[in-house]
Amino acid sequence: MSGQQAVEAAIATRRGEINDALDEGLPLQEPEELYEASRYLLEAGGKRLRPTILLLVAESLADIEPEDADYSSFPTADDDPIDVMEAATSVEIIQSFTLIHDDIMDDDDVRRGVPAVHREYGLSTAILAGDTLYSKAFEKMLETGARSERSVQALSELATTCTRICEGQSLDISFERRGAVTPDEYLEMVELKTAVLYAASAAIPAMLLGYEEAVDPLYGYGLDIGRAFQIQDDLLDLTTPTEKLGKQRGSDLVENKQTLITVHARRSGVDVDNLVAADSVEDVTEAEIDEAVERLEEAGSIQFAREQAEDLVQSGKDNLQTLPDNDARDLLEGIADFLIERTY
Amino acid sequence: MSGQQAVEAAIATRRGEINDALDEGLPLQEPEELYEASRYLLEAGGKRLRPTILLLVAESLADIEPEDADYSSFPTADDDPIDVMEAATSVEIIQSFTLIHDDIMDDDDVRRGVPAVHREYGLSTAILAGDTLYSKAFEKMLETGARSERSVQALSELATTCTRICEGQSLDISFERRGAVTPDEYLEMVELKTAVLYAASAAIPAMLLGYEEAVDPLYGYGLDIGRAFQIQDDLLDLTTPTEKLGKQRGSDLVENKQTLITVHARRSGVDVDNLVAADSVEDVTEAEIDEAVERLEEAGSIQFAREQAEDLVQSGKDNLQTLPDNDARDLLEGIADFLIERTY
């Protein structure tokens, strides 16, 4: 197996276990419509990258052979076992809550190939489904059986993370109304909106398992690769064919969304607002997008974003040196690479 | 001072301190629009009943003279002081988050005499403001300095409470689409949507301060008076003059909202859906409301709701016998009475 194949296999294996835990941990109880709506997006799919990172960090810290891990009874630094899968489902549930509310705010119709929750169930139920997942995530994080002081630390991290995600989403919305945004402002927004949940996913297992000294470097790993992930998302919007992307290529340009690429281009003198004449993704042509991408390449903006993402991945991998040298750490390095090598 | 005056004075005193703590605990930081929107409803007013109950329970448990309480350094059962005001702000912040999201779902334009948050700041910022308050409430509950195992217990209660509030709101929405609802179903909805936050407000100080044996009866007190509070709200909608109510009297009838009164009336053979012919609060006349109220009185429905509220208040007061006999307990009894004697 190549490194990339090993990483994809590791993600797939854990995804299966995470999906089972989500299915069991969020039963279809009364009121049924509320729980159906809360489960809907989770059932529609997703790579489960954040909980997978959480599990792999736990495996590496405990120096367990990846195939031997029993997540529901997982050894801590002082042996007293905990249910680390509860923490993994918690971060995925937070991710799902933010997607449901974001889709309302961005008025997006489709997510993971299915109608967005507010399209399927209406605005009220979608807001409530997000709110329900929010508190469920806190409930799950409290159900690991970890020592109280460690649970408090993890809970505190989770709460701060949620506040920051809201701040990041607020900045993202405000950027749409603004012209010039600096690369630093853009990266701060990405840090808040996207990267802190990766950071929490990597740091929380160290908190719960009692590896205090690893918390900061692992947080750094998550922050780095989370930012790289978002930059890669921005690149994919321009470079991946529409049919593979699952949405119109170049839609960020059509919708005048700020990305690291357009932020760089604007500062290099490119008239970003008029790169694409079409006002809607329905009207834009592939030729128009090709031409826009060419101009962004000439301005060095695509190269700039690629380099930023690569630097972040390297920095993230450096942070992993806090972990013991084992298969799980190799897989976490591989996930960092995967995030910027992926084409979907 | 009469009993009622003493209660209102006790609420007013604590409200002042709670408002200061809220103002300080939710500073107007970046992104400013987000925090402005998050603070907006809290600044617009509110009785602060839930945090007042939380503080009074703490005072009674610690057997402190109400005037002597230093909430930021409050003695626990084993003396180690904690900041119980953080817990008080937490429950008020949860209340504020639910109001912001509820107003979106119910498409209500006005709250506490000012435009609803989504009217003032738009849908996206209102959703985000609610989400921000949600995590802030968890952050606050973690900042009391209580022992970790007590913080975990309080956090767990808060998370479960939020899940239940969502379930209650979901039931409430579904009732609007249904005809017959039984009194038990209605009371279950009220328990989830409204009463559990009163229950948590009363029980959490016992958890944080280390009075484990008082947790269950205090929870019962909150559950009882929370249900009584909602029934009284339903009664006030019919019996308080429009100008005093701050909204059209009888608006629940016009909007076909289920209340304990209409649920009882329907079971007594009253054609509840046609009690008021007007389709909107703008079109309804006071005479029409008077006639509807008269019919509800004839059916015994208003009396039924009054008795239910009175029984709940009595049961709530019985639950308070777990507390030491002191001024703070008297005030908590007074608040129970106040909830169903109030005319606004």
Side-chain angles (χ1 to χ4, degrees), chain A residues 29 33 35 101 105 124 131-132 134-135 139 148-149 159 163 166-167, chain B residues 29 35 101 105 124 131-132 134-135 139 148-149 159 163 166-167 177:
Chain A
Q29 66 195 66
E33 195 193 10
Y35 282 98
H101 282 191
M105 298 182 221
S124 295
D131 291 345
T132 305
Y134 209 150
S135 49
E139 290 185 40
S148 297
E149 65 270 23
T163 302
C166 293
E167 292 174 354
Chain B
Q29 66 195 65
Y35 282 98
H101 282 190
M105 296 182 224
S124 295
D131 290 345
T132 304
Y134 209 150
S135 49
E139 290 185 39
S148 296
E149 65 272 22
T163 302
C166 293
E167 291 173 355
R177 281 175 266 154

PDB file of all heavy atoms in Angstrom, chain A residues 29 33 35 101 105 124 131-132 134-135 139 148-149 159 163 166-167, chain B residues 29 35 101 105 124 131-132 134-135 139 148-149 159 163 166-167 177:
ATOM      1  N   GLN A  29     -35.273   9.324  18.640  1.00  0.00           N
ATOM      2  CA  GLN A  29     -36.260   9.341  19.714  1.00  0.00           C
ATOM      3  C   GLN A  29     -37.302  10.441  19.486  1.00  0.00           C
ATOM      4  O   GLN A  29     -37.273  11.140  18.480  1.00  0.00           O
ATOM      5  CB  GLN A  29     -35.536   9.539  21.055  1.00  0.00           C
ATOM      6  CG  GLN A  29     -34.863  10.911  21.169  1.00  0.00           C
ATOM      7  CD  GLN A  29     -33.869  10.953  22.316  1.00  0.00           C
ATOM      8  OE1 GLN A  29     -32.854  10.274  22.301  1.00  0.00           O
ATOM      9  NE2 GLN A  29     -34.149  11.784  23.300  1.00  0.00           N
ATOM     10  N   GLU A  33     -39.406  14.144  14.498  1.00  0.00           N
ATOM     11  CA  GLU A  33     -38.983  15.027  13.399  1.00  0.00           C
ATOM     12  C   GLU A  33     -37.688  15.760  13.764  1.00  0.00           C
ATOM     13  O   GLU A  33     -36.812  15.967  12.920  1.00  0.00           O
ATOM     14  CB  GLU A  33     -40.080  16.045  13.048  1.00  0.00           C
ATOM     15  CG  GLU A  33     -39.789  16.700  11.705  1.00  0.00           C
ATOM     16  CD  GLU A  33     -40.634  17.935  11.433  1.00  0.00           C
ATOM     17  OE1 GLU A  33     -41.323  18.418  12.357  1.00  0.00           O
ATOM     18  OE2 GLU A  33     -40.576  18.424  10.302  1.00  0.00           O
ATOM     19  N   TYR A  35     -35.275  14.749  15.807  1.00  0.00           N
ATOM     20  CA  TYR A  35     -34.102  13.874  15.779  1.00  0.00           C
ATOM     21  C   TYR A  35     -33.808  13.371  14.369  1.00  0.00           C
ATOM     22  O   TYR A  35     -32.652  13.140  14.014  1.00  0.00           O
ATOM     23  CB  TYR A  35     -34.249  12.745  16.810  1.00  0.00           C
ATOM     24  CG  TYR A  35     -33.936  13.284  18.194  1.00  0.00           C
ATOM     25  CD1 TYR A  35     -34.941  13.677  19.066  1.00  0.00           C
ATOM     26  CD2 TYR A  35     -32.620  13.468  18.581  1.00  0.00           C
ATOM     27  CE1 TYR A  35     -34.637  14.221  20.313  1.00  0.00           C
ATOM     28  CE2 TYR A  35     -32.310  14.010  19.819  1.00  0.00           C
ATOM     29  CZ  TYR A  35     -33.316  14.377  20.682  1.00  0.00           C
ATOM     30  OH  TYR A  35     -33.002  14.924  21.902  1.00  0.00           O
ATOM     31  N   HIS A 101     -26.375  25.242  10.440  1.00  0.00           N
ATOM     32  CA  HIS A 101     -26.633  26.680  10.614  1.00  0.00           C
ATOM     33  C   HIS A 101     -25.954  27.506   9.515  1.00  0.00           C
ATOM     34  O   HIS A 101     -26.537  28.480   9.025  1.00  0.00           O
ATOM     35  CB  HIS A 101     -26.192  27.131  12.015  1.00  0.00           C
ATOM     36  CG  HIS A 101     -27.170  26.766  13.104  1.00  0.00           C
ATOM     37  ND1 HIS A 101     -27.085  27.253  14.381  1.00  0.00           N
ATOM     38  CD2 HIS A 101     -28.273  25.981  13.083  1.00  0.00           C
ATOM     39  CE1 HIS A 101     -28.091  26.772  15.115  1.00  0.00           C
ATOM     40  NE2 HIS A 101     -28.805  25.984  14.349  1.00  0.00           N
ATOM     41  N   MET A 105     -27.498  30.364   6.849  1.00  0.00           N
ATOM     42  CA  MET A 105     -26.953  31.725   6.699  1.00  0.00           C
ATOM     43  C   MET A 105     -26.513  32.003   5.272  1.00  0.00           C
ATOM     44  O   MET A 105     -26.697  33.093   4.757  1.00  0.00           O
ATOM     45  CB  MET A 105     -25.766  31.903   7.647  1.00  0.00           C
ATOM     46  CG  MET A 105     -26.145  31.772   9.111  1.00  0.00           C
ATOM     47  SD  MET A 105     -24.717  32.036  10.190  1.00  0.00           S
ATOM     48  CE  MET A 105     -24.993  30.755  11.409  1.00  0.00           C
ATOM     49  N   SER A 124     -37.311  26.475  10.802  1.00  0.00           N
ATOM     50  CA  SER A 124     -37.409  26.302  12.255  1.00  0.00           C
ATOM     51  C   SER A 124     -36.774  24.995  12.703  1.00  0.00           C
ATOM     52  O   SER A 124     -35.978  24.970  13.652  1.00  0.00           O
ATOM     53  CB  SER A 124     -38.871  26.317  12.694  1.00  0.00           C
ATOM     54  OG  SER A 124     -39.427  27.579  12.453  1.00  0.00           O
ATOM     55  N   ASP A 131     -29.312  23.382  17.111  1.00  0.00           N
ATOM     56  CA  ASP A 131     -29.252  23.646  18.556  1.00  0.00           C
ATOM     57  C   ASP A 131     -29.219  22.351  19.363  1.00  0.00           C
ATOM     58  O   ASP A 131     -28.549  22.267  20.400  1.00  0.00           O
ATOM     59  CB  ASP A 131     -30.468  24.480  18.987  1.00  0.00           C
ATOM     60  CG  ASP A 131     -30.419  25.904  18.442  1.00  0.00           C
ATOM     61  OD1 ASP A 131     -29.343  26.330  17.980  1.00  0.00           O
ATOM     62  OD2 ASP A 131     -31.460  26.594  18.482  1.00  0.00           O
ATOM     63  N   THR A 132     -29.949  21.353  18.897  1.00  0.00           N
ATOM     64  CA  THR A 132     -29.975  20.062  19.592  1.00  0.00           C
ATOM     65  C   THR A 132     -28.614  19.374  19.505  1.00  0.00           C
ATOM     66  O   THR A 132     -28.094  18.851  20.499  1.00  0.00           O
ATOM     67  CB  THR A 132     -31.054  19.152  18.977  1.00  0.00           C
ATOM     68  OG1 THR A 132     -32.309  19.842  19.017  1.00  0.00           O
ATOM     69  CG2 THR A 132     -31.184  17.840  19.738  1.00  0.00           C
ATOM     70  N   TYR A 134     -25.822  20.787  19.136  1.00  0.00           N
ATOM     71  CA  TYR A 134     -24.906  21.610  19.960  1.00  0.00           C
ATOM     72  C   TYR A 134     -24.841  21.042  21.377  1.00  0.00           C
ATOM     73  O   TYR A 134     -23.768  20.714  21.905  1.00  0.00           O
ATOM     74  CB  TYR A 134     -25.463  23.025  19.994  1.00  0.00           C
ATOM     75  CG  TYR A 134     -24.493  24.172  20.151  1.00  0.00           C
ATOM     76  CD1 TYR A 134     -24.786  25.414  19.590  1.00  0.00           C
ATOM     77  CD2 TYR A 134     -23.297  24.062  20.861  1.00  0.00           C
ATOM     78  CE1 TYR A 134     -23.941  26.511  19.711  1.00  0.00           C
ATOM     79  CE2 TYR A 134     -22.451  25.151  21.002  1.00  0.00           C
ATOM     80  CZ  TYR A 134     -22.774  26.377  20.422  1.00  0.00           C
ATOM     81  OH  TYR A 134     -21.945  27.448  20.562  1.00  0.00           O
ATOM     82  N   SER A 135     -26.008  20.897  22.014  1.00  0.00           N
ATOM     83  CA  SER A 135     -25.984  20.418  23.404  1.00  0.00           C
ATOM     84  C   SER A 135     -25.640  18.927  23.474  1.00  0.00           C
ATOM     85  O   SER A 135     -24.987  18.478  24.415  1.00  0.00           O
ATOM     86  CB  SER A 135     -27.317  20.697  24.102  1.00  0.00           C
ATOM     87  OG  SER A 135     -28.401  20.266  23.330  1.00  0.00           O
ATOM     88  N   GLU A 139     -23.010  16.927  25.816  1.00  0.00           N
ATOM     89  CA  GLU A 139     -23.357  15.718  26.570  1.00  0.00           C
ATOM     90  C   GLU A 139     -22.352  14.600  26.291  1.00  0.00           C
ATOM     91  O   GLU A 139     -21.873  13.931  27.209  1.00  0.00           O
ATOM     92  CB  GLU A 139     -24.774  15.248  26.211  1.00  0.00           C
ATOM     93  CG  GLU A 139     -25.884  16.163  26.720  1.00  0.00           C
ATOM     94  CD  GLU A 139     -27.272  15.572  26.441  1.00  0.00           C
ATOM     95  OE1 GLU A 139     -27.468  14.358  26.590  1.00  0.00           O
ATOM     96  OE2 GLU A 139     -28.171  16.351  26.046  1.00  0.00           O
ATOM     97  N   SER A 148     -12.659  14.009  36.353  1.00  0.00           N
ATOM     98  CA  SER A 148     -13.412  15.266  36.278  1.00  0.00           C
ATOM     99  C   SER A 148     -12.564  16.434  35.807  1.00  0.00           C
ATOM    100  O   SER A 148     -12.991  17.233  34.972  1.00  0.00           O
ATOM    101  CB  SER A 148     -14.014  15.599  37.638  1.00  0.00           C
ATOM    102  OG  SER A 148     -14.933  14.617  38.006  1.00  0.00           O
ATOM    103  N   GLU A 149     -11.347  16.562  36.334  1.00  0.00           N
ATOM    104  CA  GLU A 149     -10.550  17.743  35.956  1.00  0.00           C
ATOM    105  C   GLU A 149     -10.179  17.697  34.472  1.00  0.00           C
ATOM    106  O   GLU A 149     -10.059  18.731  33.823  1.00  0.00           O
ATOM    107  CB  GLU A 149      -9.319  17.912  36.853  1.00  0.00           C
ATOM    108  CG  GLU A 149      -8.269  16.826  36.753  1.00  0.00           C
ATOM    109  CD  GLU A 149      -8.511  15.676  37.735  1.00  0.00           C
ATOM    110  OE1 GLU A 149      -9.659  15.484  38.177  1.00  0.00           O
ATOM    111  OE2 GLU A 149      -7.536  14.959  38.049  1.00  0.00           O
ATOM    112  N   ALA A 159     -16.150  24.486  24.459  1.00  0.00           N
ATOM    113  CA  ALA A 159     -16.977  25.703  24.523  1.00  0.00           C
ATOM    114  C   ALA A 159     -16.266  26.881  23.854  1.00  0.00           C
ATOM    115  O   ALA A 159     -16.859  27.604  23.048  1.00  0.00           O
ATOM    116  CB  ALA A 159     -17.315  26.024  25.976  1.00  0.00           C
ATOM    117  N   THR A 163     -17.383  29.129  20.477  1.00  0.00           N
ATOM    118  CA  THR A 163     -17.444  30.592  20.426  1.00  0.00           C
ATOM    119  C   THR A 163     -16.609  31.110  19.258  1.00  0.00           C
ATOM    120  O   THR A 163     -17.044  31.982  18.492  1.00  0.00           O
ATOM    121  CB  THR A 163     -16.926  31.191  21.749  1.00  0.00           C
ATOM    122  OG1 THR A 163     -17.710  30.676  22.828  1.00  0.00           O
ATOM    123  CG2 THR A 163     -17.029  32.705  21.735  1.00  0.00           C
ATOM    124  N   CYS A 166     -18.178  30.660  15.847  1.00  0.00           N
ATOM    125  CA  CYS A 166     -19.185  31.709  15.603  1.00  0.00           C
ATOM    126  C   CYS A 166     -18.507  33.014  15.184  1.00  0.00           C
ATOM    127  O   CYS A 166     -18.964  33.698  14.267  1.00  0.00           O
ATOM    128  CB  CYS A 166     -20.034  31.957  16.850  1.00  0.00           C
ATOM    129  SG  CYS A 166     -21.094  30.569  17.311  1.00  0.00           S
ATOM    130  N   GLU A 167     -17.423  33.361  15.859  1.00  0.00           N
ATOM    131  CA  GLU A 167     -16.702  34.591  15.506  1.00  0.00           C
ATOM    132  C   GLU A 167     -16.176  34.499  14.074  1.00  0.00           C
ATOM    133  O   GLU A 167     -16.255  35.462  13.310  1.00  0.00           O
ATOM    134  CB  GLU A 167     -15.550  34.822  16.486  1.00  0.00           C
ATOM    135  CG  GLU A 167     -16.029  35.159  17.900  1.00  0.00           C
ATOM    136  CD  GLU A 167     -14.901  35.244  18.938  1.00  0.00           C
ATOM    137  OE1 GLU A 167     -13.734  34.935  18.596  1.00  0.00           O
ATOM    138  OE2 GLU A 167     -15.206  35.595  20.085  1.00  0.00           O
TER     139      GLU A 167
ATOM    140  N   GLN B  29     -16.601  42.792  22.258  1.00  0.00           N
ATOM    141  CA  GLN B  29     -15.314  42.562  21.606  1.00  0.00           C
ATOM    142  C   GLN B  29     -15.498  42.332  20.111  1.00  0.00           C
ATOM    143  O   GLN B  29     -16.615  42.375  19.589  1.00  0.00           O
ATOM    144  CB  GLN B  29     -14.623  41.367  22.265  1.00  0.00           C
ATOM    145  CG  GLN B  29     -15.362  40.048  22.046  1.00  0.00           C
ATOM    146  CD  GLN B  29     -14.882  38.958  22.993  1.00  0.00           C
ATOM    147  OE1 GLN B  29     -15.044  39.056  24.202  1.00  0.00           O
ATOM    148  NE2 GLN B  29     -14.303  37.922  22.423  1.00  0.00           N
ATOM    149  N   TYR B  35     -21.088  40.585  18.754  1.00  0.00           N
ATOM    150  CA  TYR B  35     -21.259  40.740  20.198  1.00  0.00           C
ATOM    151  C   TYR B  35     -22.325  41.778  20.527  1.00  0.00           C
ATOM    152  O   TYR B  35     -23.021  41.674  21.535  1.00  0.00           O
ATOM    153  CB  TYR B  35     -19.910  41.005  20.874  1.00  0.00           C
ATOM    154  CG  TYR B  35     -19.141  39.710  21.017  1.00  0.00           C
ATOM    155  CD1 TYR B  35     -18.162  39.336  20.106  1.00  0.00           C
ATOM    156  CD2 TYR B  35     -19.462  38.813  22.029  1.00  0.00           C
ATOM    157  CE1 TYR B  35     -17.511  38.116  20.213  1.00  0.00           C
ATOM    158  CE2 TYR B  35     -18.814  37.593  22.153  1.00  0.00           C
ATOM    159  CZ  TYR B  35     -17.847  37.252  21.244  1.00  0.00           C
ATOM    160  OH  TYR B  35     -17.215  36.027  21.354  1.00  0.00           O
ATOM    161  N   HIS B 101     -33.485  32.561  19.180  1.00  0.00           N
ATOM    162  CA  HIS B 101     -33.818  31.545  18.169  1.00  0.00           C
ATOM    163  C   HIS B 101     -35.330  31.315  18.081  1.00  0.00           C
ATOM    164  O   HIS B 101     -35.867  31.145  16.981  1.00  0.00           O
ATOM    165  CB  HIS B 101     -33.062  30.239  18.453  1.00  0.00           C
ATOM    166  CG  HIS B 101     -31.617  30.275  18.025  1.00  0.00           C
ATOM    167  ND1 HIS B 101     -30.807  29.168  17.991  1.00  0.00           N
ATOM    168  CD2 HIS B 101     -30.845  31.305  17.584  1.00  0.00           C
ATOM    169  CE1 HIS B 101     -29.594  29.508  17.552  1.00  0.00           C
ATOM    170  NE2 HIS B 101     -29.583  30.797  17.323  1.00  0.00           N
ATOM    171  N   MET B 105     -37.987  31.444  14.828  1.00  0.00           N
ATOM    172  CA  MET B 105     -38.882  30.337  14.466  1.00  0.00           C
ATOM    173  C   MET B 105     -40.341  30.776  14.464  1.00  0.00           C
ATOM    174  O   MET B 105     -41.118  30.368  13.610  1.00  0.00           O
ATOM    175  CB  MET B 105     -38.709  29.183  15.455  1.00  0.00           C
ATOM    176  CG  MET B 105     -37.318  28.588  15.414  1.00  0.00           C
ATOM    177  SD  MET B 105     -37.145  27.189  16.563  1.00  0.00           S
ATOM    178  CE  MET B 105     -35.553  27.560  17.273  1.00  0.00           C
ATOM    179  N   SER B 124     -29.016  35.929   9.687  1.00  0.00           N
ATOM    180  CA  SER B 124     -27.731  35.257   9.905  1.00  0.00           C
ATOM    181  C   SER B 124     -27.115  35.667  11.234  1.00  0.00           C
ATOM    182  O   SER B 124     -26.674  34.820  12.019  1.00  0.00           O
ATOM    183  CB  SER B 124     -26.753  35.588   8.778  1.00  0.00           C
ATOM    184  OG  SER B 124     -27.216  35.059   7.569  1.00  0.00           O
ATOM    185  N   ASP B 131     -26.091  31.269  18.800  1.00  0.00           N
ATOM    186  CA  ASP B 131     -25.063  30.225  18.901  1.00  0.00           C
ATOM    187  C   ASP B 131     -23.902  30.670  19.795  1.00  0.00           C
ATOM    188  O   ASP B 131     -23.313  29.860  20.515  1.00  0.00           O
ATOM    189  CB  ASP B 131     -24.523  29.878  17.506  1.00  0.00           C
ATOM    190  CG  ASP B 131     -25.555  29.152  16.657  1.00  0.00           C
ATOM    191  OD1 ASP B 131     -26.557  28.669  17.210  1.00  0.00           O
ATOM    192  OD2 ASP B 131     -25.354  29.068  15.429  1.00  0.00           O
ATOM    193  N   THR B 132     -23.563  31.944  19.711  1.00  0.00           N
ATOM    194  CA  THR B 132     -22.462  32.471  20.527  1.00  0.00           C
ATOM    195  C   THR B 132     -22.838  32.461  22.005  1.00  0.00           C
ATOM    196  O   THR B 132     -22.050  32.067  22.870  1.00  0.00           O
ATOM    197  CB  THR B 132     -22.122  33.909  20.085  1.00  0.00           C
ATOM    198  OG1 THR B 132     -21.832  33.909  18.687  1.00  0.00           O
ATOM    199  CG2 THR B 132     -20.922  34.460  20.841  1.00  0.00           C
ATOM    200  N   TYR B 134     -24.919  30.534  23.391  1.00  0.00           N
ATOM    201  CA  TYR B 134     -24.974  29.110  23.771  1.00  0.00           C
ATOM    202  C   TYR B 134     -23.619  28.675  24.353  1.00  0.00           C
ATOM    203  O   TYR B 134     -23.519  28.178  25.481  1.00  0.00           O
ATOM    204  CB  TYR B 134     -25.283  28.300  22.520  1.00  0.00           C
ATOM    205  CG  TYR B 134     -26.036  26.996  22.664  1.00  0.00           C
ATOM    206  CD1 TYR B 134     -26.867  26.564  21.631  1.00  0.00           C
ATOM    207  CD2 TYR B 134     -25.904  26.177  23.766  1.00  0.00           C
ATOM    208  CE1 TYR B 134     -27.562  25.364  21.702  1.00  0.00           C
ATOM    209  CE2 TYR B 134     -26.590  24.970  23.845  1.00  0.00           C
ATOM    210  CZ  TYR B 134     -27.419  24.563  22.809  1.00  0.00           C
ATOM    211  OH  TYR B 134     -28.098  23.373  22.870  1.00  0.00           O
ATOM    212  N   SER B 135     -22.541  28.870  23.582  1.00  0.00           N
ATOM    213  CA  SER B 135     -21.225  28.410  24.066  1.00  0.00           C
ATOM    214  C   SER B 135     -20.730  29.289  25.207  1.00  0.00           C
ATOM    215  O   SER B 135     -20.060  28.803  26.124  1.00  0.00           O
ATOM    216  CB  SER B 135     -20.207  28.360  22.924  1.00  0.00           C
ATOM    217  OG  SER B 135     -20.204  29.544  22.188  1.00  0.00           O
ATOM    218  N   GLU B 139     -19.164  28.294  28.802  1.00  0.00           N
ATOM    219  CA  GLU B 139     -17.908  28.853  29.326  1.00  0.00           C
ATOM    220  C   GLU B 139     -18.108  29.406  30.733  1.00  0.00           C
ATOM    221  O   GLU B 139     -17.304  29.163  31.639  1.00  0.00           O
ATOM    222  CB  GLU B 139     -17.394  29.970  28.404  1.00  0.00           C
ATOM    223  CG  GLU B 139     -16.886  29.480  27.051  1.00  0.00           C
ATOM    224  CD  GLU B 139     -16.274  30.618  26.232  1.00  0.00           C
ATOM    225  OE1 GLU B 139     -15.585  31.488  26.786  1.00  0.00           O
ATOM    226  OE2 GLU B 139     -16.515  30.654  25.007  1.00  0.00           O
ATOM    227  N   SER B 148     -13.897  20.138  40.284  1.00  0.00           N
ATOM    228  CA  SER B 148     -14.135  19.595  38.945  1.00  0.00           C
ATOM    229  C   SER B 148     -15.350  18.685  38.897  1.00  0.00           C
ATOM    230  O   SER B 148     -16.170  18.778  37.972  1.00  0.00           O
ATOM    231  CB  SER B 148     -12.917  18.819  38.469  1.00  0.00           C
ATOM    232  OG  SER B 148     -11.828  19.674  38.336  1.00  0.00           O
ATOM    233  N   GLU B 149     -15.493  17.800  39.885  1.00  0.00           N
ATOM    234  CA  GLU B 149     -16.610  16.849  39.796  1.00  0.00           C
ATOM    235  C   GLU B 149     -17.942  17.590  39.922  1.00  0.00           C
ATOM    236  O   GLU B 149     -18.948  17.182  39.334  1.00  0.00           O
ATOM    237  CB  GLU B 149     -16.483  15.711  40.823  1.00  0.00           C
ATOM    238  CG  GLU B 149     -16.573  16.098  42.280  1.00  0.00           C
ATOM    239  CD  GLU B 149     -15.217  16.492  42.879  1.00  0.00           C
ATOM    240  OE1 GLU B 149     -14.304  16.856  42.111  1.00  0.00           O
ATOM    241  OE2 GLU B 149     -15.084  16.439  44.119  1.00  0.00           O
ATOM    242  N   ALA B 159     -26.257  20.922  29.814  1.00  0.00           N
ATOM    243  CA  ALA B 159     -26.339  20.366  28.460  1.00  0.00           C
ATOM    244  C   ALA B 159     -27.664  19.618  28.268  1.00  0.00           C
ATOM    245  O   ALA B 159     -28.360  19.807  27.260  1.00  0.00           O
ATOM    246  CB  ALA B 159     -25.154  19.434  28.205  1.00  0.00           C
ATOM    247  N   THR B 163     -30.828  20.407  25.598  1.00  0.00           N
ATOM    248  CA  THR B 163     -31.426  19.411  24.699  1.00  0.00           C
ATOM    249  C   THR B 163     -32.941  19.370  24.921  1.00  0.00           C
ATOM    250  O   THR B 163     -33.724  19.365  23.960  1.00  0.00           O
ATOM    251  CB  THR B 163     -30.824  18.019  24.959  1.00  0.00           C
ATOM    252  OG1 THR B 163     -29.408  18.087  24.782  1.00  0.00           O
ATOM    253  CG2 THR B 163     -31.398  16.989  24.000  1.00  0.00           C
ATOM    254  N   CYS B 166     -34.837  22.285  23.429  1.00  0.00           N
ATOM    255  CA  CYS B 166     -35.037  22.096  21.982  1.00  0.00           C
ATOM    256  C   CYS B 166     -36.190  21.127  21.723  1.00  0.00           C
ATOM    257  O   CYS B 166     -37.022  21.356  20.835  1.00  0.00           O
ATOM    258  CB  CYS B 166     -33.767  21.554  21.327  1.00  0.00           C
ATOM    259  SG  CYS B 166     -32.384  22.703  21.338  1.00  0.00           S
ATOM    260  N   GLU B 167     -36.247  20.060  22.491  1.00  0.00           N
ATOM    261  CA  GLU B 167     -37.334  19.090  22.318  1.00  0.00           C
ATOM    262  C   GLU B 167     -38.689  19.757  22.606  1.00  0.00           C
ATOM    263  O   GLU B 167     -39.667  19.538  21.885  1.00  0.00           O
ATOM    264  CB  GLU B 167     -37.129  17.895  23.256  1.00  0.00           C
ATOM    265  CG  GLU B 167     -35.929  17.028  22.869  1.00  0.00           C
ATOM    266  CD  GLU B 167     -35.601  15.928  23.883  1.00  0.00           C
ATOM    267  OE1 GLU B 167     -36.254  15.879  24.957  1.00  0.00           O
ATOM    268  OE2 GLU B 167     -34.696  15.131  23.598  1.00  0.00           O
ATOM    269  N   ARG B 177     -49.591  22.508  14.440  1.00  0.00           N
ATOM    270  CA  ARG B 177     -50.105  21.826  13.252  1.00  0.00           C
ATOM    271  C   ARG B 177     -51.134  20.759  13.612  1.00  0.00           C
ATOM    272  O   ARG B 177     -51.725  20.145  12.738  1.00  0.00           O
ATOM    273  CB  ARG B 177     -48.932  21.168  12.493  1.00  0.00           C
ATOM    274  CG  ARG B 177     -48.136  22.129  11.660  1.00  0.00           C
ATOM    275  CD  ARG B 177     -46.933  21.408  11.056  1.00  0.00           C
ATOM    276  NE  ARG B 177     -45.738  21.563  11.875  1.00  0.00           N
ATOM    277  CZ  ARG B 177     -44.722  20.691  11.898  1.00  0.00           C
ATOM    278  NH1 ARG B 177     -44.760  19.602  11.185  1.00  0.00           N
ATOM    279  NH2 ARG B 177     -43.658  20.910  12.643  1.00  0.00           N
TER     280      ARG B 177
END
